[in-house]
Amino acid sequence: MLSKSQIKLIKSLTQKKFRNKHELFTVEGIKGVMEFINSDFELVSLFTTGKTFGLPKDKLNLIEEKELKKISSLKTPQEVLAVFKIPSPAAFKPEGLILALDGVRDPGNLGTIIRLCDWFGIENLICSGDTVDCYNPKVVQASMGSLTRVKINYLDLAEFLGQQKDLPVYGTLLEGDNIYTSALPNSAVIVMGNEANGISEEIISLLKNKVTIPQFGKVQTTESLNVATATSIVLSEFRRNLSTEK
Amino acid sequence: MLSKSQIKLIKSLTQKKFRNKHELFTVEGIKGVMEFINSDFELVSLFTTGKTFGLPKDKLNLIEEKELKKISSLKTPQEVLAVFKIPSPAAFKPEGLILALDGVRDPGNLGTIIRLCDWFGIENLICSGDTVDCYNPKVVQASMGSLTRVKINYLDLAEFLGQQKDLPVYGTLLEGDNIYTSALPNSAVIVMGNEANGISEEIISLLKNKVTIPQFGKVQTTESLNVATATSIVLSEFRRNLSTEK
């Protein structure tokens, strides 16, 4: 049985300001919850409507389906909801391949990009302050557990790139060098831009290298590729060297 | 002013069976509507709440915002809604690069894949019968006009691949040859599978070539890449030869 204040607290976590205030976020669905439990994230509380799966018993609460509906952010709640602590931002060394997002707003896109980082072994993702919060329930849902393996830092992107001396900075734009014929390094910062406006002017002025994914269609489309599909191609291009170099 | 029967007809077009019965589908938003008007698609009727933009006047109907809300499939209707005729499936020659989808169910994924075909100059997309309908309003929305430039055929995929003699058939699976080190031809059929289950057993048995996108993360993820991001990488790999070959 959930108290009114518990319901109010958990519901409030759909909003960034309350996630930040309480330093808590939610994960739904047994698969995702298990991935977070088996990671460094700290479990705070756990709710299920019946099946206990193999969930740790000390923090487990059996609740009614109508209660789950009240605290779930999903249209169709998935039996299990867990509350985890938001960790302090991990310190990160600027080394290897780092992905940087400049104002990505759509939670589904950020979740997909986190999954791509996980797949391509990108350990550090940095996000401008106006990028959607990675603990947004839709981001957590779309990232499918990859959020447990990718370190994410929100920072002033212009300041970070301006100070960046160790790694070359690449940006993906509609006009740039053909990415397929560019020699791409194994260590770099790669910047991807906002869904509608691409990379901001301020950040463009800080790019040392501009690359583009060429169009092959007969008609040049007015729309760019979606940022998640563009990111998948760019990460694939940076990583494919590891497979093909002798 | 819309009649009750007009409202009923247009609303019914969110469902496949009524789209097929009436051979009609809807497009919303001025940008998308203009792309369809400037294509081979046949405009049937056009509705706007005020701004007439540069829309053709003969089929234009001024309606109230509350009327638009009734016929729109969007949460936030976008001022313009058009009804177009569904064309007869275009005959297609099995040549060049053809993408084939085996049971892709999510409208957003199909829309994104249609955009990718447009970008990479894939003129023919073939879909198994259980792939989501390309005139589903969410697919139309996500494809952003690319639907006007990519020919889509729904057919019996097993039958098509079984009879295929001209083109080599490639499938993307979790286990296959490393796509980065495979010699990929400029003409082929490339099969992508369902979101949850990948390519079906029946279709796998018809594949001549199996390729995979390698994982680079330290931890092997249990989840595959999303089908739209996997498709973007696969099409990029098939097309990049055109940029890099001397």
Side-chain angles (χ1 to χ4, degrees):
Chain A
M1 175 79 184
L2 281 170
S3 69
K4 273 193 181 170
S5 65
Q6 274 179 309
I7 293 173
K8 194 179 164 193
L9 170 68
I10 297 170
K11 277 183 74 162
S12 79
L13 300 179
T14 55
Q15 290 178 61
K16 184 177 169 183
K17 66 174 176 180
F18 292 110
R19 286 195 297 275
N20 288 348
K21 182 181 165 189
H22 301 296
E23 296 180 334
L24 298 173
F25 72 103
T26 57
V27 183
E28 299 194 57
I30 182 64
K31 204 166 172 181
V33 167
M34 286 310 295
E35 289 221 54
F36 277 86
I37 287 176
N38 294 323
S39 74
D40 294 337
F41 281 82
E42 185 186 330
L43 178 65
V44 176
S45 53
L46 197 51
F47 305 91
T48 175
T49 51
K51 294 188 197 152
T52 52
F53 302 97
L55 293 166
K57 290 201 174 56
D58 56 330
K59 281 163 185 164
L60 191 61
N61 300 279
L62 281 177
I63 60 171
E64 309 256 324
E65 243 169 80
K66 62 183 181 191
E67 291 179 303
L68 182 61
K69 273 204 171 156
K70 281 185 190 161
I71 57 172
S72 173
S73 67
L74 302 173
K75 272 187 196 163
T76 315
Q78 294 188 14
E79 293 185 292
V80 179
L81 183 150
V83 178
F84 289 90
K85 211 164 158 34
I86 293 179
S88 312
F92 82 99
K93 285 186 209 165
E95 59 183 25
L97 219 48
I98 293 172
L99 185 66
L101 303 181
D102 182 21
V104 168
R105 300 294 170 87
D106 180 78
N109 283 338
L110 179 57
T112 305
I113 289 170
I114 294 168
R115 252 173 102 181
L116 285 167
C117 287
D118 192 18
W119 188 274
F120 284 109
I122 311 292
E123 292 175 18
N124 289 297
L125 172 65
I126 61 183
C127 299
S128 63
D130 59 351
T131 293
V132 58
D133 178 35
C134 67
Y135 297 110
N136 175 309
K138 287 181 188 164
V139 176
V140 176
Q141 205 65 26
S143 73
M144 297 187 129
S146 290
L147 193 54
T148 62
R149 290 180 291 269
V150 178
K151 291 179 202 142
I152 304 177
N153 274 275
Y154 285 78
L155 43 70
D156 183 322
L157 194 55
E159 191 181 300
F160 171 79
L161 294 177
Q163 293 169 349
Q164 190 50 49
K165 289 191 181 70
D166 301 321
L167 297 175
V169 179
Y170 281 75
T172 309
L173 295 99
L174 284 174
E175 311 245 317
D177 298 329
N178 183 334
I179 193 165
Y180 299 131
T181 53
S182 298
L184 304 173
N186 291 332
S187 296
V189 181
I190 308 165
V191 184
M192 303 297 300
N194 167 269
E195 286 87 349
N197 307 314
I199 301 175
S200 59
E201 288 299 327
E202 187 187 12
I203 301 295
I204 287 179
S205 69
L206 297 165
L207 299 175
K208 299 285 191 302
N209 308 275
K210 295 171 190 166
V211 290
T212 196
I213 301 165
Q215 282 192 38
F216 294 87
K218 280 181 201 155
V219 179
Q220 294 290 105
T221 62
T222 49
E223 292 291 336
S224 63
L225 286 172
N226 162 283
V227 64
T229 53
T231 301
S232 69
I233 293 167
V234 170
L235 294 183
S236 172
E237 281 299 313
F238 271 85
R239 282 303 193 211
R240 77 191 301 287
N241 291 334
L242 300 177
S243 282
T244 55
E245 68 196 6
K246 297 292 177 295
Chain B
M1 176 80 184
L2 282 170
S3 70
K4 273 191 182 169
S5 65
Q6 275 178 309
I7 293 172
K8 193 178 164 194
L9 170 68
I10 297 170
K11 277 182 74 162
S12 79
L13 301 178
T14 55
Q15 289 177 61
K16 184 178 170 183
K17 66 174 176 180
F18 292 110
R19 287 195 296 276
N20 289 348
K21 182 180 166 189
H22 300 296
E23 296 180 334
L24 298 173
F25 70 102
T26 57
V27 183
E28 299 196 56
I30 182 64
K31 205 167 171 181
V33 167
M34 285 311 294
E35 289 220 55
F36 278 86
I37 287 176
N38 294 323
S39 75
D40 294 336
F41 281 83
E42 185 186 329
L43 178 66
V44 176
S45 53
L46 197 51
F47 305 91
T48 173
T49 51
K51 293 188 196 153
T52 53
F53 303 96
L55 294 165
K57 290 200 175 58
D58 56 329
K59 280 162 185 163
L60 191 62
N61 300 279
L62 280 176
I63 60 171
E64 310 255 325
E65 243 169 80
K66 62 182 181 191
E67 291 179 303
L68 182 61
K69 271 204 173 156
K70 281 186 191 161
I71 57 172
S72 173
S73 66
L74 302 172
K75 272 187 195 162
T76 315
Q78 294 188 13
E79 293 184 292
V80 179
L81 184 150
V83 178
F84 289 89
K85 208 161 161 36
I86 293 179
S88 312
F92 81 98
K93 285 187 209 165
E95 59 183 24
L97 220 48
I98 293 172
L99 185 67
L101 303 181
D102 181 21
V104 168
R105 300 295 170 88
D106 180 79
N109 282 339
L110 180 56
T112 304
I113 289 170
I114 294 168
R115 250 173 103 181
L116 285 167
C117 287
D118 192 18
W119 187 275
F120 284 109
I122 310 293
E123 291 175 18
N124 289 298
L125 173 64
I126 60 183
C127 300
S128 64
D130 59 350
T131 293
V132 57
D133 178 35
C134 66
Y135 297 110
N136 175 309
K138 288 180 188 165
V139 176
V140 175
Q141 204 66 26
S143 73
M144 296 187 130
S146 290
L147 193 54
T148 63
R149 290 180 291 270
V150 177
K151 290 179 203 143
I152 305 177
N153 274 275
Y154 286 78
L155 43 70
D156 184 322
L157 194 56
E159 191 181 301
F160 171 79
L161 295 177
Q163 293 169 349
Q164 190 49 50
K165 290 191 181 71
D166 301 321
L167 296 175
V169 179
Y170 281 75
T172 309
L173 295 101
L174 285 173
E175 312 243 318
D177 298 329
N178 182 335
I179 193 167
Y180 299 131
T181 52
S182 299
L184 304 173
N186 292 331
S187 296
V189 180
I190 308 165
V191 184
M192 304 296 301
N194 167 270
E195 286 87 350
N197 308 314
I199 301 175
S200 59
E201 289 299 328
E202 187 187 12
I203 301 295
I204 287 178
S205 69
L206 298 165
L207 299 176
K208 299 285 192 302
N209 308 275
K210 295 170 190 168
V211 290
T212 196
I213 301 165
Q215 283 191 40
F216 294 87
K218 279 180 200 156
V219 180
Q220 294 289 105
T221 62
T222 49
E223 292 291 337
S224 64
L225 286 171
N226 162 282
V227 64
T229 54
T231 302
S232 69
I233 294 167
V234 170
L235 294 184
S236 173
E237 281 300 312
F238 271 85
R239 281 303 192 211
R240 76 191 302 287
N241 291 334
L242 300 177
S243 282
T244 55
E245 68 195 7
K246 297 292 179 297

